[in-house]
Amino acid sequence: MNSVLLKNATIINEGATFKGDLLIQDGRIARIASSVSGDQASEIIECENKIVIPGCIDDQVHFREPGSTWKADMASEARAAVLGGVTSFMDMPNNTPPATTSRDIAVKKDIARRSSVANFGFYLGATPDNLEEIKSLDPREVCGVKVFMGSSTGTLLVDREDSLRNIFRAAEVPVATHCEDNEIISKNTALFREKYGEDGMDASMHPLIRSREACLKSTSLAVALARETGARLHVLHLSTAEELSLFEPWAPLPVSQRQITCEVCVHHLFFNDTWYGALGNRLKCNPAVKTEKDRQALVTATRTGLITCIATDHAPHTAEEKNAPYSKAPGGLPLIQFALPALLELVKHGELSLEDVVAGYCHNPAIRFNISKRGFIREGYWADLAVIDPEKPQRVTPSVIASKCGWSPFTGLTFSNSIVHTFVNGNQVVHNGVLENKNCFGTALRFDR
């Protein structure tokens, strides 16, 4: 492996912004200083007017393998990830078959070792019947237990309070929840179907059907159960202003000391319900994108640190599937390749700072899930890095989309920035915006618990 020196970079790390050089050797960050001699490196990359951040860690993705590989697979979505500066991902269990045993996790790890250019971790899916699997997990090998309290069917739906309580008590790893109340959603669906008919329903109704009341009721239950059982709870993809107050008791604490944390997704920070007119089902996701008031509240909570992590909930479906009538079109968006550029647009417009983005998308996922030696620019840590050109615009067109589904809700938009280089474990996998070293594979994340 070559040693690489990044010269004259603007480095964003741990709340500080400074100019300096960064030396990569043997896969790790060997030195950070105001000036490092080029004699120590076999390659020098000039980073004047470029920004260097830790590689992003996306704690919520759906890469679809095994199972729905016509939509996405581990290789295609990992390529999209690194093109977007994401060097590590944590994949959800709603595969076919669902990942509900340690054996299922081992199968997914084997696939990733052979095909993923990014580092990888996996959740175990909770069911009403796999409590013994949850109890026997090796906490160093699994990032968390995913609980679908709503928005799922079959074995992965857990909406009985007694089953939820048992899962919360048993888990030695963070419990990550999708919080929407199925009873409220079912009633709303029936009301809209009765009023408009199946053919009269459209995506603009989605945030009213999968309503704020459904989110608030379910999130309130998750927080109450965590308080009762002592579970380490991480509530995924908040979408409403009202939910935020549930997390205020932990906000004064450092992230490492918070028992209960929450996350926001890029699409809930970037879009609001006025976009349904242009995007239709291509903005249909669960929980739904809601109002501008909600978006602004989520942005503010990210800026203040009440919201701990930023993620994508990257969930590809084919264009044909999304073009079905509203009631048949699946929920989910492919986002990972353009998530960081979208966040940087919020920085450009003064809604977030670069330090906010790095805290939420790099540092805090590493802290919350106890990921070993990643998420920070520190000597001795793995050299997972993203290099950004803030003055190089990129237009999102089908020709640049790496996700297997071939479309993006950002198609047609021009971002003012680009991800020019990405390093994973010291290997440069993206060079000048182009995927390189396709035979370099990421490694399984380790969790220091």
Side-chain angles (χ1 to χ4, degrees):
M1 184 183 296
N2 292 338
S3 56
V4 179
L5 179 61
L6 306 183
K7 287 287 293 181
N8 303 311
T10 298
I11 299 170
I12 313 291
N13 188 57
E14 301 187 68
T17 300
F18 57 96
K19 192 78 172 283
D21 297 351
L22 191 154
L23 180 66
I24 300 168
Q25 289 181 335
D26 299 322
R28 306 229 182 199
I29 299 169
R31 192 172 175 208
I32 308 161
S34 58
S35 181
V36 177
S37 171
D39 295 341
Q40 300 183 53
S42 55
E43 181 183 359
I44 298 173
I45 298 177
E46 178 56 55
C47 291
E48 186 72 41
N49 300 320
K50 307 291 193 301
I51 296 167
V52 176
I53 68 171
C56 300
I57 301 172
D58 199 320
D59 73 22
Q60 187 187 181
V61 306
H62 303 263
F63 280 4
R64 304 299 188 202
E65 190 175 7
S68 305
T69 51
W70 69 91
K71 306 176 194 244
D73 56 47
M74 210 81 74
S76 65
E77 307 316 289
R79 290 194 291 268
V82 297
L83 284 164
V86 176
T87 56
S88 299
F89 65 84
M90 293 148 69
D91 188 61
M92 289 298 172
N94 53 330
N95 302 102
T96 307
T100 58
T101 69
S102 295
R103 174 59 186 158
D104 297 327
I105 299 294
V107 168
K108 293 179 72 170
K109 282 187 177 181
D110 285 344
I111 294 170
R113 287 189 185 100
R114 298 192 304 268
S115 61
S116 174
V117 70
N119 303 313
F120 47 86
F122 298 99
Y123 291 87
L124 184 87
T127 79
D129 304 312
N130 73 338
L131 198 61
E132 293 307 311
E133 284 284 346
I134 293 170
K135 289 178 179 178
S136 64
L137 285 177
D138 183 342
R140 298 166 299 178
E141 297 291 334
V142 176
C143 53
V145 171
K146 173 64 180 289
V147 182
F148 289 90
M149 295 174 63
S151 189
S152 188
T153 57
T155 59
L156 285 178
L157 178 62
V158 186
D159 57 359
R160 288 177 55 89
E161 191 169 323
D162 55 346
S163 296
L164 289 166
R165 183 176 286 107
N166 289 335
I167 292 166
F168 278 47
R169 280 180 176 150
E172 293 186 32
V173 296
V175 175
T177 55
H178 180 128
C179 291
E180 289 183 287
D181 184 80
N182 270 357
E183 184 178 357
I184 291 175
I185 292 169
S186 296
K187 288 180 179 178
N188 289 342
T189 302
L191 289 172
F192 274 79
R193 186 176 288 121
E194 180 181 357
K195 184 173 181 179
Y196 296 100
E198 195 80 17
D199 296 336
M201 297 168 67
D202 62 47
S204 67
M205 302 172 187
H206 196 58
L208 304 176
I209 293 170
R210 304 192 79 98
S211 64
R212 64 183 58 254
E213 292 80 12
C215 295
L216 182 59
K217 181 178 178 181
S218 185
T219 301
S220 298
L221 175 59
V223 171
L225 287 172
R227 281 179 174 272
E228 175 188 335
T229 62
R232 286 179 288 163
L233 174 66
H234 186 63
V235 178
L236 303 168
H237 44 44
L238 294 189
S239 63
T240 73
E242 290 88 341
E243 290 169 281
L244 294 169
S245 64
L246 297 169
F247 302 92
E248 288 176 353
W250 294 272
L253 297 174
V255 174
S256 61
Q257 295 178 24
R258 298 187 199 185
Q259 177 206 350
I260 297 175
T261 55
C262 57
E263 158 196 300
V264 67
C265 286
V266 172
H267 46 294
H268 292 118
L269 292 173
F270 192 88
F271 296 110
N272 61 34
D273 57 3
T274 65
W275 286 81
Y276 285 109
L279 294 175
N281 291 339
R282 294 191 177 207
L283 193 58
K284 182 181 178 182
C285 57
N286 304 324
V289 170
K290 297 183 175 68
T291 68
E292 175 62 11
K293 179 181 176 182
D294 293 307
R295 190 195 72 82
Q296 290 185 12
L298 295 167
V299 168
T300 299
T302 303
R303 190 170 60 245
T304 62
L306 189 153
I307 288 177
T308 306
C309 298
I310 301 170
T312 60
D313 197 12
H314 176 83
H317 298 285
T318 67
E320 181 181 8
E321 289 167 330
K322 293 296 265 185
N323 288 337
Y326 163 75
S327 60
K328 295 182 173 61
L333 314 176
L335 290 156
I336 201 164
Q337 184 176 350
F338 305 106
L340 179 55
L343 291 168
L344 295 175
E345 288 301 299
L346 299 181
V347 172
K348 180 181 178 181
H349 292 104
E351 295 193 88
L352 295 174
S353 69
L354 281 167
E355 293 81 3
D356 296 332
V357 171
V358 170
Y361 208 14
C362 308
H363 299 334
N364 290 343
I367 296 170
R368 184 58 175 126
F369 292 91
N370 298 100
I371 299 171
S372 177
K373 300 293 184 180
R374 302 187 193 275
F376 295 85
I377 297 177
R378 294 174 179 169
E379 292 179 359
Y381 272 51
W382 290 105
D384 295 344
L385 302 164
V387 182
I388 302 158
D389 188 337
E391 302 299 331
K392 184 179 180 181
Q394 63 168 325
R395 185 170 176 80
V396 181
T397 64
S399 65
V400 302
I401 294 171
S403 289
K404 197 172 188 178
C405 67
W407 67 274
S408 167
F410 298 118
T411 298
L413 298 183
T414 298
F415 295 122
S416 60
N417 62 85
S418 297
I419 314 305
V420 288
H421 309 304
T422 305
F423 293 84
V424 179
N425 301 319
N427 294 302
Q428 187 172 9
V429 296
V430 174
H431 178 71
N432 289 331
V434 177
L435 190 70
E436 289 192 341
N437 293 323
K438 295 180 182 179
N439 293 324
C440 289
F441 300 111
T443 60
L445 298 173
R446 294 287 294 180
F447 306 97
D448 288 339
R449 298 181 175 127

